[in-house]
């Protein structure tokens, strides 16, 4: 399920990135808020790719109309990004 996927985001992130930390700030049916911290070398393209991958994974886990949007930082050179995920 999408909620289970969010619970596994730390492990999935660790397979693709060295360093950095994932903080799950909220995870409930239909929505989650996640903060990525200490990710040197990140840029807007990296953040966009990450969000697109998460949206796809949410749908593969049964979520419909999934979306991921940045709510804090996540620009070129930012080492931190907070996003909100939603699905039906």
């Amino acid at each position: 399920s999408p909620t289970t996927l969010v619970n596994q985001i730390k492990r999935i992130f660790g397979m693709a990135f060295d360093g950095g930390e994932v903080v799950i700030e909220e995870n409930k049916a239909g929505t989650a808020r996640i903060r990525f911290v200490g990710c040197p070398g990140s840029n807007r393209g990296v953040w966009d790719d990450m969000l697109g991958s998460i949206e796809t994974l949410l749908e593969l886990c049964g979520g419909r109309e999934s979306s991921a949007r940045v709510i804090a930082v996540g620009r070129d050179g930012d080492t931190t990004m907070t996003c909100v995920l939603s699905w039906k």
Side-chain angles (χ1 to χ4, degrees), residues 39 41-48 73-80:
C39 304
S42 296
N43 59 39
R44 185 59 194 202
V46 169
W47 298 125
D48 286 345
V73 290
R75 297 175 298 267
D76 284 342
D78 288 337
T79 61
T80 300

Side-chain angles (χ1 to χ4, degrees), residues 19-36:
E21 178 185 358
V22 179
V23 179
I24 301 169
E25 297 180 343
E26 178 181 17
N27 186 15
K28 58 185 182 182
T31 189
R33 186 174 56 245
I34 302 172
R35 185 168 29 104
F36 299 89

